Amino acid sequence: LGRVPLRSMSVESVGVRWGQHANGREETDIPMADLPVATIQRRAAFDIGSGATKLQVADVDVAAGKLVTTLFAREFPVKFALVWKEHGQLTEAVMDEGMAVLSNLCRECTRLGCTAYAAIATEVFRKASNGHAFLERARAELGLQIVTISQDMEARLGFLTAAALSQMPRERIVAWDSGGGSFQISTEDTLPHRERPELLAYVSAMGASVATAQMVEDVQHRSLSSVPTPNPVSVEEAEALVRLLEDSLDVVPDWLAGLKLITAIGGPNSLFNVAGQVMRDEGIIDHVDDEARRADSDRSAQTSGVAVRFGREAVRKALMARCGESDEVMAPMGYGEVPLLVPKLCLLLAVMQKCAIGEVEYVPAIGSCAGVLVDNDVLFAQSRESPLPLRQNFEVENETKNSVSEK
């Protein structure tokens, strides 16, 4: 994949020292080059996805490549992929919405004193004709350098995220990351004859927004531009979409076929968390702990998902439970992205059936941000050499007022 040059200014050229906050206040006078190898770096990771924009800010042990303390972790729905599927390109409205979210998140980075960042963009920005124009706008207006990554890189970061957050040994992890425009399943081949582990990946340009568009256009035979939601979805329509999705997926590799357990990552609106919410609502999951009860008591306030483990039959029951219900019926239940709910469950079931996956263990994450934060090999390869080049035109005293946390 090579090294990604995220920063254009050297430390020497601007006189920035390690530990200097974006507002100019210094914590230490020790230059970057003189720091011990194990120094903690305050990093920011932006994940601009097809369905949501995410930010995680954390103190990272640079040498160990591990998260020490997370200071901020949020995601905000921005329906880039759904708008692209509806209009054939990103509209001015969705780009303005995306820029407003990024602007607030950049302020959050400044408020928290980040000294390095990496920003990635995924599927929809590879495909939309004006996807690159949006990223250029972010660079021009915010100074935010965003790298459009490949499916294979998405798979790599998904694996790194699962490895950073899961309690399972790294060599046993098979990670599943599913967003608005695509999904990736990945693991490391750690055979003894290999000098370095090789990443194995099963990827598809199939995500929640794409599945929703297929439900409306290919199953219900309506126009996405004139139909804001597929709900209510009949049982027959749900089953038809599951078959359609399953048939569209590539042949499953041997390392994945029949897997007993897979580690899924995602945020509060991920198909994995939504499945868990429905399962708890319907009593499909027998054991519900206090953390899940507290989270379900006010889903609108959720900033992360709730860990859960389930099998294919539980997903099928959850899907059937939400068939036949309108947006008006489901909205008071507190689900996010109600129009996408049934297609998400269809996609989840289709992939599990296609791959013959036994169980999914969902580990809450803010997109692939955790993987980005610990990626010293590529995305943060130059982080010890360059400052955080965010261009912000606002006063320090207004940072708290404008921060995302208080928005």
Side-chain angles (χ1 to χ4, degrees):
L1 289 168
R3 294 180 180 270
V4 181
L6 293 181
R7 301 158 186 85
S8 57
M9 298 179 288
S10 68
V11 175
E12 292 78 10
S13 67
V14 293
V16 174
R17 297 178 183 271
W18 183 270
Q20 181 173 340
H21 284 232
N23 61 19
R25 178 173 54 84
E26 291 190 3
E27 291 181 331
T28 175
D29 290 329
I30 303 174
M32 284 188 191
D34 298 337
L35 286 172
V37 175
T39 296
I40 304 301
Q41 184 179 41
R42 182 158 293 181
R43 292 176 171 179
F46 294 82
D47 179 351
I48 300 101
S50 298
T53 295
K54 290 85 78 175
L55 171 69
Q56 185 168 350
V57 176
D59 290 335
V60 179
D61 185 325
V62 175
K66 292 184 177 180
L67 303 182
V68 178
T69 304
T70 293
L71 296 95
F72 182 92
R74 292 286 300 275
E75 70 172 50
F76 298 88
V78 183
K79 295 292 170 280
F80 289 113
L82 203 58
V83 169
W84 167 61
K85 293 295 289 185
E86 180 180 346
H87 298 279
Q89 63 178 0
L90 303 180
T91 62
E92 287 297 322
V94 79
M95 289 195 288
D96 287 346
E97 180 185 358
M99 283 297 299
V101 170
L102 283 176
S103 180
N104 283 328
L105 293 179
C106 286
R107 290 189 179 96
E108 200 67 29
C109 291
T110 303
R111 185 182 71 84
L112 292 170
C114 298
T115 57
Y117 81 98
I120 61 170
T122 58
E123 180 73 13
V124 71
F125 300 100
R126 294 192 292 264
K127 291 191 170 181
S129 60
N130 57 346
H132 181 69
F134 173 79
L135 304 183
E136 279 298 301
R137 181 179 169 188
R139 180 194 61 78
E141 295 183 16
L142 302 175
L144 188 63
Q145 303 282 351
I146 305 170
V147 177
T148 305
I149 62 173
S150 66
Q151 277 266 41
D152 287 342
M153 185 61 168
E154 282 194 70
R156 178 176 178 272
L157 293 174
F159 179 82
L160 290 176
T161 297
L165 301 177
S166 174
Q167 300 301 312
M168 188 179 296
R170 182 175 175 129
E171 62 272 13
R172 292 177 54 196
I173 291 176
V174 179
W176 182 2
D177 182 12
S178 188
S182 62
F183 76 78
Q184 303 81 35
I185 299 176
S186 55
T187 191
E188 283 185 340
D189 184 352
T190 56
L191 293 177
H193 68 275
R194 297 193 185 282
E195 184 177 340
R196 294 187 64 181
E198 177 185 350
L199 187 76
L200 304 175
Y202 179 68
V203 303
S204 174
M206 182 62 65
S209 295
V210 180
T212 302
Q214 288 199 316
M215 171 65 84
V216 173
E217 296 177 342
D218 299 333
V219 175
Q220 297 177 335
H221 304 294
R222 298 187 290 173
S223 170
L224 188 63
S225 60
S226 59
V227 177
T229 176
N231 296 318
V233 175
S234 69
V235 170
E236 293 75 20
E237 289 171 337
E239 291 176 339
L241 181 59
V242 171
R243 289 193 300 270
L244 181 64
L245 296 174
E246 204 173 333
D247 290 343
S248 71
L249 297 175
D250 290 339
V251 175
V252 181
D254 291 341
W255 59 266
L256 175 57
L259 194 71
K260 292 183 178 179
L261 180 65
I262 194 167
T263 302
I265 60 168
N269 291 316
S270 68
L271 49 86
F272 312 111
N273 189 57
V274 168
Q277 290 175 338
V278 176
M279 291 171 194
R280 290 191 293 274
D281 288 346
E282 298 300 317
I284 298 169
I285 298 176
D286 294 331
H287 175 71
V288 180
D289 59 22
D290 291 339
E291 179 186 357
R293 290 191 183 92
R294 285 193 297 271
D296 286 337
S297 66
D298 186 7
R299 287 175 176 164
S300 63
Q302 280 193 28
T303 57
S304 65
V306 178
V308 66
R309 184 166 172 166
F310 51 79
R312 291 198 299 271
E313 186 56 31
V315 177
R316 177 170 290 280
K317 290 179 180 178
L319 174 58
M320 294 299 105
R322 295 287 81 89
C323 285
E325 295 181 337
S326 65
D327 286 10
E328 291 72 24
V329 170
M330 287 190 277
M333 300 178 188
Y335 302 124
E337 305 178 337
V338 169
L340 279 68
L341 191 149
V342 172
K344 285 179 180 179
L345 296 174
C346 290
L347 178 58
L348 178 58
L349 182 59
V351 177
M352 290 185 73
Q353 290 183 168
K354 179 75 171 186
C355 301
I357 295 169
E359 286 188 306
V360 169
E361 183 172 54
Y362 166 56
V363 177
I366 301 300
S368 292
C369 287
V372 173
L373 287 169
V374 300
D375 183 18
N376 292 326
D377 293 335
V378 180
L379 295 174
F380 277 99
Q382 297 184 348
S383 64
R384 288 177 60 83
E385 302 171 3
S386 306
L388 181 76
L390 295 178
R391 187 180 305 120
Q392 290 299 320
N393 299 314
F394 55 90
E395 299 298 326
V396 172
E397 56 264 28
N398 291 330
E399 288 170 9
T400 302
K401 180 180 69 176
N402 294 327
S403 68
V404 173
S405 61
E406 295 185 20
K407 183 182 177 183

